[in-house]
Amino acid sequence: MLYNPEKPIDVQRAVEKFKYFVKHNKVFELSAKKVPKTYPQLKYAHLIMSWFALEYGEQLEYIKLEYFKKLVNPSIFQYEFVNRITGEVRIEYKSLANLTKDELTLAIDRFRDYSSKEAGIYLPEPKDLAIIREIEIQLKNNEQYL
């Protein structure tokens, strides 16, 4: 579980969890999360897709393929694959990791635009660290739905 020390309710929850572990003689781990000064592009892309999935009520992998790649960015992700044995031609989609920085920037911008205009879901910019931090906490606490 992640807790935001800027929110009194999160501090209270963390203290209660700590007391529970000590009272019941449970082994636990306590560590600090570093807040980045900037948000790496690939991690940011996954974060906004995860947030969109949670808000939209769909699985992350479905959102990534059907919305991010197929619907919003087919010109960036889609390519034809030819099976070398059967000669079958089929449509495939690139991995995010195989994009250039500029391609991923364009794909993210398009997805943010789509999200706000078509789905009514605000996706923060990479510089909105306070919002991103809150989203990370919400995603971690709701990962069973992704």
Side-chain angles (χ1 to χ4, degrees), residues 44-108:
Y44 170 72
H46 280 100
L47 178 114
I48 64 171
M49 283 187 281
S50 296
W51 182 245
F52 184 93
L54 188 63
E55 289 289 293
Y56 201 72
E58 276 292 350
Q59 296 292 308
L60 171 58
E61 288 306 313
Y62 181 82
I63 295 299
K64 184 191 280 187
L65 179 62
E66 297 298 328
Y67 285 79
F68 193 80
K69 293 181 179 182
K70 287 183 177 181
L71 180 65
V72 179
N73 293 298
S75 63
I76 295 173
F77 289 96
Q78 186 174 309
Y79 68 95
E80 285 188 351
F81 172 79
V82 180
N83 183 304
R84 63 181 175 81
I85 296 173
T86 66
E88 174 193 10
V89 178
R90 65 177 186 253
I91 302 297
E92 291 289 335
Y93 294 87
K94 294 180 194 176
S95 167
L96 269 71
N98 294 335
L99 299 182
T100 66
K101 182 179 180 181
D102 290 340
E103 287 174 326
L104 189 50
T105 298
L106 178 59
I108 288 169

Side-chain angles (χ1 to χ4, degrees), residues 1-3 10 13 17 31 33 137 140-143:
M1 197 78 144
L2 292 177
Y3 303 95
D10 275 4
R13 287 179 183 148
K17 189 75 142 180
S31 63
K33 293 286 186 183
I137 291 168
K140 180 69 174 168
N141 294 342
N142 291 287
E143 62 190 351

